[in-house]
């Protein structure tokens, strides 16, 4: 093997290595960017929690999600009583509690004054009841009814 062939072979090895390293560098840069975004989001959330801690715990809290201000529905373990819930959620909780047993979404909707005959009108209350169930305030039964969690 001549010296030129050795040089050409080594150059090919180095080109492959350079290509592999460039690919790794691209992946590292992408992951660093993701970490920067995650860090920004966590800082923003901690600032919001710090602000919320200074506020009255009995009032519904507003947080930023995707640049929009929304009301926070706290988990039951965070705030035991319903005073921290937004008004509409408290009202739904009262309706389910007053029923004394499993309640269908259309019954809650009717109690709220929603026209339950119109398709799609029950989706917002269904979503709110589901959120209350996920947050531990209601129990969702397999037949899509809700009861108060003991």
């Amino acid at each position: 093997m001549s010296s030129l062939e050795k040089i050409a072979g080594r150059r090919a090895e180095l080109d492959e290595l350079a290509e592999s390293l460039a690919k790794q560098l691209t992946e590292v840069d992408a992951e660093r960017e993701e970490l920067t975004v995650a860090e920004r989001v966590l800082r923003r959330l901690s600032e919001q929690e710090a602000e919320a801690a200074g506020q009255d715990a009995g009032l519904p809290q507003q947080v930023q999600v995707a640049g929009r201000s929304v009301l926070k529905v706290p988990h039951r373990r965070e705030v035991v009583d319903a005073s921290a819930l937004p008004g509409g959620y408290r009202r739904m909780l009262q309706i389910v509690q007053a029923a004394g047993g499993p309640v269908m979404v259309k019954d809650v909707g009717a109690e709220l004054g929603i026209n339950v005959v119109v398709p799609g009108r029950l989706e917002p209350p269904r979503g709110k009841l589901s959120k209350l169930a996920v947050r531990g305030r209601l129990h969702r039964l397999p037949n899509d009814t809700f009861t108060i969690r003991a």
Side-chain angles (χ1 to χ4, degrees):
M1 181 182 271
S2 74
S3 296
L4 287 176
E5 289 173 340
K6 288 179 183 177
I7 292 173
R10 182 64 179 150
R11 184 177 303 266
E13 289 175 12
L14 291 175
D15 287 345
E16 287 178 26
L17 181 60
E19 192 175 308
S20 172
L21 290 174
K23 182 180 177 186
Q24 284 181 332
L25 182 60
T26 303
E27 291 171 358
V28 166
D29 285 343
E31 188 173 345
R32 288 184 70 190
E33 221 170 282
E34 289 174 1
L35 289 173
T36 302
V37 170
E39 189 176 35
R40 243 184 281 145
V41 168
L42 286 174
R43 279 195 181 123
R44 191 177 318 137
L45 288 174
S46 354
E47 289 170 2
Q48 289 176 359
E49 287 177 2
E51 285 178 18
Q55 296 175 353
D56 183 12
L59 297 176
Q61 300 172 13
Q62 290 200 347
V63 293
Q64 293 288 322
V65 175
R68 290 183 11 205
S69 183
V70 296
L71 291 175
K72 179 180 178 187
V73 177
H75 284 272
R76 186 175 182 192
R77 67 181 176 275
E78 293 174 5
V79 180
V80 178
D81 65 349
S83 65
L85 293 174
Y89 288 90
R90 276 196 310 265
R91 178 73 181 116
M92 289 182 169
L93 208 55
Q94 290 169 350
I95 292 169
V96 174
Q97 194 169 22
V103 179
M104 296 177 68
V105 176
K106 71 177 185 176
D107 297 332
V108 174
E111 187 73 27
L112 291 172
I114 296 171
N115 186 353
V116 296
V117 179
V118 178
R121 294 286 175 131
L122 292 177
E123 291 313 308
R126 182 183 318 281
K128 288 181 179 181
L129 289 168
S130 296
K131 188 178 281 188
L132 287 169
V134 168
R135 300 295 198 268
R137 299 198 177 267
L138 293 178
H139 181 67
R140 186 178 198 162
L141 300 174
N143 62 355
D144 206 30
T145 59
F146 295 88
T147 61
I148 290 292
R149 189 172 293 271

